[in-house]
Structures are given as C-alpha cells and as structure tokens.
Amino acid sequence: MIRKTRLFTPGPTPLLPAAQFAMAAADIHHRTPEFRALYERVLGQLKIFVGTRNDVLLLASSGTGAMEASVSNLTSPGDRVLVLSAGKFGERWESLAKAFGCQVDLVSAPYGDTLSLDEVKKALRPDTRAVFVQATESSTGVRHDVKAIGALLRDSGSEALLIVDAITGLGTTHLDVDAWGIDVIIGGSQKAVMIPPGLAYLSLSDRAWKAAETSKNPRYYFDLRKERKNAQKGESSYTPAVALIAALGAALDYIAGQGGGDLAAGRDALIDNAETCAAMTRAAVKALGLSLFAPAAPSAAATSVLPPEGVDSGVIVKELKRRFAAIITNGQGEMKGKIFRIAHIGLFDYMDTIAIIAALEQVAATSLNLPGFAFGKALAAAQQVYAEQSGQTANVKVAPEMVPA
Ligand SMILES: *Cc1c(COP(=O)(O)O)cnc(C)c1O
C-alpha cells in the first residue's frame, strides 16, 4: 500500500491547509498599512484565544524565546525563584533561570507524575520573586494544576509572579488566565494553532509589567517593553515573521469557525476535541494491554505510553513510521526507549485518532507479543469513549467480547 505521512507529534503538529495557503500568499512588506491591519487583527484574535484582558505579544522565535524573555525581562541576577519541574521542559526553566543568575529553589516530581502542592507550599519563601511551571509537561504527558498553584500563591500572601509555559497547555487545557492569577502565559506556533514553528506568543499581567520596569538584566531583541510599545501601533520591533503571522490569522479564523464564528467558543471546542482524542487513546492503549506513563494527571496534549516489558519504545516508533508513515515521538533524554507519545494537540480529530489506534494494533500484532491480543479491542474501547463523550450512547452496542475487562 502507499504511505501518507502524518504527524502525531506534540510539536510540530499537522498544518492547517488554509494556514499554508495564507502563508504562501503573504508577500507583503511589514511597514505598510496592509501589514499593520493584519498584525492588529491577529494580536486581537490571540488575546481571545489565550483568554486574557492583557495584551498578547508575538515574537519571531521558537517557544523557548518567550520562556527566555520572561526570565530576562522579569527577574534580576540574585533573585530567588521557584521552579516546579517534572520533566524536560521544567528542567529548561531551571537552566534558563540559572543562566540569568537567579537563585533557584526547586520542587520536582518524578517523570510521569505531577507536583505535590504541599511541597510547593513548603518551598515558597517570603522573598520568592517568581514561580515557573508548565501547564502541561510535553515530555511526560502530564498536566499540572495551575489553578491550584495560583490559588496557593494567593492564599499564602506570596508576591511571586506566576509564569506559565502553556506552550502545549493552550488549546488543550481550559485556562482562566486572569482569574487564576497567571502573570505570564506563553504559547508557541507549532502546537495547538496548527502552523509551522517560528512564532512564540505571551501576555503579561500588570504586576509582571511592573517587574519588567525594575529588572536589571540587559535586554535587546527580547525587550518586551519595546515590543509592547510597537505592538500598540501595529508594528513589531524588528522584521516580523510575516508569513507565519498570516498563517496564524487563518488558523485562528478556522478555530473561530469551529465555534460558529466565536473564537472563544472555537478554542473551547478545540480543547474538548483534544480531551476526547486523549481519552480515546488512553482507553485504547489500556485495552491493548499497555500501561499509561502518566495515569494520575494525564494531559490532553499528548498521551505517553509504556511499551511492553523488555521492548524498546523505539521499535513502536520505527514500525509506525516504516509501515504507515505515522510519526509519533519517543521519550526525550533519559526517557528515550522507555515511552512513546501520541499527540492530540491541534489539528487531530476523531478520524486521525481512530487511524493511529488501528495502526498501533497492526504494530502490536506483529511486534509486541501482548497476551490476549486481538484486532479490534483497542478500537472498540476508543469507539466506546467517543460515543460516550459525544453523547451518542443511546444506540451503542459493542460486541461483549470486545469490552475490556
Ligand atoms: C514545545 C515546547 C516548548 C518550546 O520548545 P521550542 O522548541 O522552543 O518551541 C516549551 N515547553 C513545552 C512544554 C513544549 O511542549
């Protein structure tokens, strides 16, 4: 059979065709009224997509650029900060804060787990200036409880800024940014918004802007104060990634279309979609006889799965690619060979999810030697979840032998 390449990766994610067309047509100069109109429109749409009353800024960089900007703009060398880390992206916060001379306190959780709020509470000090965390830790497939962390900071009277890498959290997690006390929220283009890598976006609360005024770090390309001043005039400080911005506008239009023209409703539909795809996938892998790597607090951005005892997860990654051109991800760093990850963030739907589960059954049949394996068990479990979550249960009949014990 022919093979059609499909990404099932948590960034880059599959591209929206309408966004690709917009990108190809974006032959405009950035110091023109045409660009200013586009930029102002997209910044306004992003504000709704993020769900904040604060301005959203766009940077021509990968997501890590906005992570770095939040450290360099909001801390000063010697500041005490608290990093909450449970995976590779949490570790990135730690490295970044250290690179800018912060004194880093650390609360960590083992890979696959989420953070203990008790430990966070104990680690907070009166002089903690900022708390850094991921909304979803893409390297392990875990969702952290950002709402509870925000409440904990408020209840303990802490003045620390809450800085959230929501690069895979946005579009997969219902976040009430301002109400939860999130001071900085960060997103990236190659994740839920279905366009190529190269743009990061972030918004800052009033408190965060105050901190930006007093930071003693040098800043140039990532000077957020300058970027905000320019953005308010429909300009970017340097040459913007014009084509990606046009693509982003088209993607946000598509997302709004999924909500009947209402972007906030479309974003919520996108989140619910990811939740359903993730729940289908979790049910399917369990029905296959595999275990979830992050069962306690799974994210809807990606599902991480343990291979059978004695099997390198790379075998599953390779076989899915070799036989079906389906690209999933291995574990990162020390998790390489130990887990595989299937994404649900962005442009994945019911059809894609059923397809990857079916392909995984094919790989299981030839390469995994799972006790009790039979074709259709994983698919039946996923179908059941879909029927339940989409309210179509009235006439659901799954063959009794297909229902997982
Ligand atoms: C993708 C991702 C990033 C950013 O990575 P870049 O390669 O710099 O775009 C940061 N945090 C999380 C949780 C991510 O998934």
Side-chain angles (χ1 to χ4, degrees):
M1 294 192 80
I2 64 160
R3 302 179 319 144
K4 193 166 145 186
T5 300
R6 292 177 177 86
L7 295 181
F8 289 92
T9 48
T13 61
L15 301 178
L16 179 75
Q20 290 178 280
F21 296 134
M23 199 155 48
D27 190 12
I28 50 177
H29 192 275
H30 57 286
R31 303 297 181 208
T32 57
E34 290 79 9
F35 177 75
R36 279 193 286 276
L38 170 70
Y39 202 45
E40 280 171 352
R41 179 171 79 82
V42 172
L43 290 175
Q45 284 177 306
L46 270 180
K47 206 165 145 154
I48 299 168
F49 181 74
V50 171
T52 176
R53 67 181 131 71
N54 299 308
D55 292 340
V56 177
L57 302 179
L58 266 173
L59 301 171
S61 75
S62 83
T64 306
M67 292 172 74
E68 171 162 332
S70 67
V71 176
S72 65
N73 281 263
L74 304 179
T75 69
S76 295
D79 276 4
R80 180 180 284 282
V81 303
L82 177 60
V83 169
L84 312 182
S85 172
K88 290 289 147 198
F89 292 104
E91 289 159 24
R92 188 168 297 181
W93 273 138
E94 185 186 0
S95 308
L96 269 167
K98 285 184 174 159
F100 284 88
C102 294
Q103 275 186 73
V104 177
D105 294 323
L106 189 65
V107 168
S108 52
Y111 293 164
D113 284 352
T114 187
L115 304 147
S116 146
L117 290 172
D118 270 351
E119 283 180 36
V120 176
K121 195 171 175 184
K122 279 190 208 127
L124 264 182
R125 310 268 195 101
D127 59 341
T128 303
R129 302 292 297 265
V131 174
F132 295 92
V133 69
Q134 271 63 41
T136 51
E137 172 54 74
S138 322
S139 68
T140 62
V142 162
R143 176 183 281 155
H144 296 315
D145 192 346
V146 174
K147 183 182 185 182
I149 295 166
L152 194 158
L153 289 182
R154 203 172 43 239
D155 295 346
S156 59
S158 168
E159 309 234 310
L161 296 172
L162 177 56
I163 301 178
V164 180
D165 162 4
I167 295 175
T168 53
L170 283 158
T172 65
T173 302
H174 293 286
L175 300 162
D176 197 344
V177 177
D178 301 335
W180 294 359
I182 297 174
D183 291 292
V184 180
I185 187 153
I186 301 169
S189 58
Q190 78 275 34
K191 312 278 175 146
V193 291
M194 312 168 187
I195 67 169
L199 285 181
Y201 54 98
L202 78 170
S203 81
L204 276 68
S205 68
D206 291 341
R207 273 164 23 101
W209 282 115
K210 281 209 187 89
E213 293 305 327
T214 56
S215 162
K216 295 190 180 69
N217 280 318
R219 281 157 274 180
Y220 192 84
Y221 184 73
F222 288 133
D223 187 337
L224 297 179
R225 297 163 300 180
K226 186 166 56 187
E227 204 59 58
R228 174 159 79 156
K229 234 179 246 158
N230 285 312
Q232 284 166 348
K233 295 179 289 182
E235 301 263 354
S236 62
S237 298
Y238 309 103
T239 309
V242 176
L244 288 173
I245 292 165
L248 182 54
L252 293 168
D253 286 347
Y254 167 79
I255 295 169
Q258 299 300 305
D262 175 342
L263 181 51
R267 173 207 57 211
D268 289 346
L270 182 69
I271 295 169
D272 295 340
N273 175 79
E275 289 282 14
T276 299
C277 294
M280 288 168 71
T281 306
R282 290 195 298 269
V285 296
K286 284 194 274 185
L288 263 182
L290 297 173
S291 303
L292 298 171
F293 182 57
S299 81
T303 297
S304 29
V305 186
L306 292 159
E309 205 49 52
V311 176
D312 189 300
S313 61
V315 169
I316 299 165
V317 177
K318 272 204 199 110
E319 282 300 284
L320 281 169
K321 179 166 188 215
R322 187 182 66 80
R323 295 178 59 193
F324 302 105
I327 315 297
I328 65 163
T329 35
N330 204 320
Q332 287 171 252
E334 309 84 295
M335 287 169 278
K336 187 157 195 239
K338 303 207 171 87
I339 59 171
F340 64 91
R341 294 173 293 154
I342 296 172
H344 324 292
I345 175 171
L347 194 58
F348 295 102
D349 66 359
Y350 166 83
M351 295 282 197
D352 298 316
T353 305
I354 286 294
I356 189 69
I357 291 167
L360 189 60
E361 284 192 344
Q362 292 290 348
V363 169
T366 54
S367 314
L368 298 188
N369 207 8
L370 292 163
F373 173 82
F375 279 126
K377 277 191 184 172
L379 281 168
Q383 294 280 42
Q384 183 82 34
V385 167
Y386 175 80
E388 279 160 16
Q389 299 216 352
S390 58
Q392 307 293 318
T393 41
N395 294 309
V396 170
K397 283 198 185 61
V398 177
E401 68 275 17
M402 290 296 189
V403 178

